[in-house]
Amino acid sequence: MSDNFKSSSFSFEPLTPLSFLERSAEVYADQIAVIDGDLRITYRELRRRSRRLAFQFKAKGVSPGDRVAVLTPNNHVLLESHYSVPYAGAVLVALNFRLAISELIGIISHAECNFLLYDPIFGKAAAQIAQSLSPNLQLMAADQKYEDSLNAGPELSVPVLDECELLALNYTSGTTGSPKGVMYHHRGAYLQSLAMTKHFDLTSSSVYLWTLPMFHCNGWCFTWAVTAAGGTHVCLPNFDADEAWLSIRHDSVTHLCAAPTVLTMLASSSQARTNDGQSIRAAVGGAPPSPWIIATCENLGLSVTHLYGLTETFGPAAICDWKAEWNSLPSTERSIRAARQGVGNLISQTLRVIDSEGADVPRDGSTVGEIVIRGNNVMLGYYKDPAATLAAVIDGWFHTGDLAVMHPDSYVEIRDRLKDVIISGGENISSIEVESALISHPSVLEAAVVATADDHWGERPIAFVYLVDGEQEDEDGLRNHVRTLLASFKVPDRIIFGPLPKTSTGKIQKFLLREIVKSQLN
């Protein structure tokens, strides 16, 4: 009976984020869908343009299942590509434009892309890529000819027959080795988008500012979530904190997502102010936001919510769902709660934290295990890398490599990456625990802790710290601060001050810090 039910054409429809644009183009046809500089695109026009671009892909030889690479900044072209490529039945490969040419060539080659759509500002890079991969790569510039083709002409919409079809390939940042192609399916993108719509109260009145790169996990699926709600996408091609604040006020922005670094830049900007009464929901992923960032953002009208996820989980798989009873807690305790990774989002399966035997750790807030995830918002696997997929998925659960504790209220709190645990004299030191102690100091903006070799203890923690602009604090002062919060053996042996190296998506590059330690301190 269940098989007949699923195969019944009137009672089962494959899930795809394309349906969000189909609906909004009908319900919010004349509402502004996209703001990109002086350009304004309604939802009716966005669907029409996306379908016409899909036809252009087909006319130039793109067939269903082909991979289409897109090399543009955060503009309407990249947003349209999130619809036009799957409308053509193809697979989207949104490229990180900050990568080196050799890295882009490696990704396009590995993904087996036969088509590259690029912004004219990357014309030189596109030519170099095409020359390297000739004759297997066709180019299309998003120039005036591109615009003319979208103002008239035939449209194309290839139906999605299988919701588990490949929708997009997203490449990991490569901080721990060669980037891997993470395979997204239509079903996962659809459901993850709905979760983001719900958790951040997106509506047709929402105005979303693109401070997060769209190439990063397809913008945490907000490329589709905002459309699902009928909200307005405000493109910000190149992030600049001052420009972002001008847009926030001018366009009456209500929502944005950001890495901690971007949030720090926004909070530190000389233009940091909202319109009277303006309130902004800000989602931050990656490292927990420091108390200074949270407090500063709150004073600016930004309500910060901490998210947790990976490229392999369509972006945020967990959210620090705020509870009303936490509002009455002291500010320090509120900051501690806000920094937790939280619970699975609306469509996630319950997060687990397991020990080395695969059993769930006690919910005591102290026993450390590894976060494992499964469900609809987990990747299909790594493209052309079954060995890596097999290593990451054990007993039907995706192993994140993140070490965490489970609190009695089912909220997860990360303590470290498996590779980042520092073993000193037989004791495990969580680098994240030490980092959290450091950023609890009001003068500290960012902190990263890595291991250095020690003849006696085996390993000892070394900290890299970046102070809040205008603040002054010395090494002894910070070490004493950590000593008041943690056991003495966890206090860093040395603290080095200065900016921290980051990836293009805002992640601190600990491997570079380890190289500094290895070359200069060991």
Side-chain angles (χ1 to χ4, degrees):
M1 182 175 179
S2 59
D3 290 340
N4 291 335
F5 173 78
K6 188 171 181 179
S7 63
S8 216
S9 60
F10 66 84
S11 58
F12 180 83
E13 189 72 21
L15 302 180
T16 171
L18 291 175
S19 63
F20 299 142
L21 180 54
E22 289 298 311
R23 180 179 187 276
S24 289
E26 298 293 335
V27 180
Y28 307 111
D30 297 317
Q31 183 165 309
I32 298 298
V34 184
I35 296 174
D36 188 356
D38 295 330
L39 182 65
R40 300 291 186 274
I41 300 173
T42 66
Y43 269 108
R44 178 187 287 111
E45 292 168 335
L46 180 59
R47 180 174 64 177
R48 183 182 299 138
R49 288 170 62 90
S50 298
R51 286 179 165 187
R52 284 173 176 167
L53 182 53
F55 182 86
Q56 292 297 317
F57 287 143
K58 179 183 178 182
K60 294 180 182 297
V62 174
S63 300
D66 286 350
R67 267 73 66 198
V68 174
V70 182
L71 182 62
T72 80
N74 266 12
N75 59 14
H76 69 282
V77 177
L78 184 50
L79 183 63
E80 289 167 346
S81 298
H82 278 77
Y83 299 95
S84 59
V85 173
Y87 267 140
V91 178
L92 174 65
V93 184
L95 297 170
N96 180 348
F97 59 83
R98 298 164 183 157
L99 296 178
I101 297 296
S102 59
E103 293 173 302
L104 292 172
I105 290 172
I107 288 173
I108 292 173
S109 177
H110 182 269
E112 300 175 299
C113 299
N114 58 5
F115 201 94
L116 172 63
L117 172 64
Y118 67 93
D119 189 284
I121 63 173
F122 299 123
K124 185 177 179 181
Q128 289 179 266
I129 293 168
Q131 183 177 12
S132 175
L133 298 177
S134 178
N136 300 317
L137 186 69
Q138 186 176 176
L139 301 183
M140 176 192 280
D143 52 15
Q144 188 56 52
K145 184 178 179 181
Y146 164 93
E147 287 295 327
D148 292 342
S149 69
L150 301 190
N151 289 330
E155 300 177 20
L156 175 67
S157 176
V158 175
V160 176
L161 302 178
D162 183 356
E163 61 187 18
C164 291
E165 284 180 3
L166 190 58
L167 168 67
L169 271 174
N170 289 290
Y171 280 78
T172 58
S173 58
T175 55
T176 58
S178 300
K180 297 185 285 290
V182 177
M183 297 188 287
Y184 282 13
H185 44 92
H186 285 258
R187 178 182 177 83
Y190 177 97
L191 292 170
Q192 179 76 349
S193 300
L194 288 184
M196 296 301 99
T197 302
K198 183 270 179 189
H199 285 300
F200 290 94
D201 300 319
L202 293 172
T203 70
S204 58
S205 299
S206 298
V207 181
Y208 180 89
L209 180 64
W210 275 104
T211 48
L212 180 76
M214 292 185 205
F215 64 70
H216 185 42
C217 307
N218 300 114
W220 297 351
C221 290
F222 278 83
T223 45
W224 301 301
V226 175
T227 298
T232 300
H233 299 263
V234 180
C235 298
L236 192 65
N238 296 294
F239 178 77
D240 176 90
D242 291 350
E243 288 296 322
W245 279 110
L246 292 175
S247 178
I248 285 171
R249 294 192 295 272
H250 180 268
D251 299 310
S252 299
V253 168
T254 60
H255 293 77
L256 59 85
C257 294
T261 304
V262 170
L263 209 59
T264 298
M265 294 169 68
L266 285 171
S268 305
S269 169
S270 60
Q271 291 290 325
R273 63 185 183 279
T274 52
N275 296 321
D276 289 342
Q278 186 176 4
S279 178
I280 301 171
R281 292 288 303 275
V284 60
S290 72
W292 179 86
I293 293 176
I294 292 175
T296 303
C297 288
E298 285 180 351
N299 291 334
L300 291 169
L302 276 71
S303 174
V304 179
T305 299
H306 189 207
L307 304 173
Y308 164 74
L310 307 91
T311 303
E312 290 88 342
T313 61
F314 292 74
I319 177 172
C320 188
D321 234 340
W322 193 257
K323 296 183 177 181
E325 58 263 33
W326 294 350
N327 292 326
S328 60
L329 295 173
S331 60
T332 302
E333 183 63 25
R334 288 202 308 273
S335 296
I336 291 173
R337 299 296 176 95
R340 290 180 182 176
Q341 281 60 45
V343 293
N345 72 35
L346 179 68
I347 61 96
S348 292
Q349 296 294 304
T350 301
L351 302 186
R352 295 177 64 206
V353 179
I354 64 172
D355 61 22
S356 58
E357 301 299 320
D360 291 274
V361 302
R363 300 190 175 203
D364 55 11
S366 61
T367 305
V368 176
E370 183 183 7
I371 299 175
V372 294
I373 303 174
R374 64 175 296 158
N376 294 303
N377 54 345
V378 178
M379 65 172 181
L380 290 169
Y382 296 115
Y383 185 59
K384 295 195 302 185
D385 199 341
T389 303
L390 208 59
V393 181
I394 303 170
D395 295 331
W397 290 85
F398 171 68
H399 286 238
T400 65
D402 288 318
L403 297 180
V405 298
M406 180 71 78
H407 287 277
D409 61 2
S410 300
Y411 277 59
V412 168
E413 181 183 357
I414 288 181
R415 290 294 168 86
D416 223 328
R417 290 286 297 174
L418 277 171
K419 61 181 176 56
D420 290 338
V421 174
I422 301 166
I423 304 175
S424 181
E427 296 279 2
N428 287 352
I429 300 174
S430 163
S431 63
I432 289 182
E433 184 180 27
V434 182
E435 289 162 4
S436 296
L438 285 165
I439 65 172
S440 70
H441 191 287
S443 296
V444 175
L445 187 59
E446 296 175 321
V449 174
V450 297
T452 183
D454 186 271
D455 292 337
H456 181 71
W457 300 107
E459 292 181 330
R460 291 295 300 147
I462 295 288
F464 291 80
V465 166
Y466 190 45
L467 298 177
V468 175
D469 188 35
E471 293 290 328
Q472 293 184 347
E473 186 55 81
D474 60 18
E475 188 173 348
D476 287 340
L478 289 182
R479 281 165 46 82
N480 288 333
H481 173 73
V482 174
R483 192 173 285 110
T484 65
L485 300 172
L486 303 176
S488 59
F489 72 87
K490 298 180 181 181
V491 176
D493 283 4
R494 182 172 175 183
I495 297 176
I496 300 169
F497 295 91
L500 305 181
K502 300 183 180 70
T503 68
S504 58
T505 56
K507 297 178 182 177
I508 295 173
Q509 295 177 303
K510 283 194 173 182
F511 75 94
L512 291 180
L513 299 181
R514 293 189 188 96
E515 289 177 7
I516 293 172
V517 169
K518 186 176 181 180
S519 62
Q520 298 182 16
L521 304 180
N522 287 347

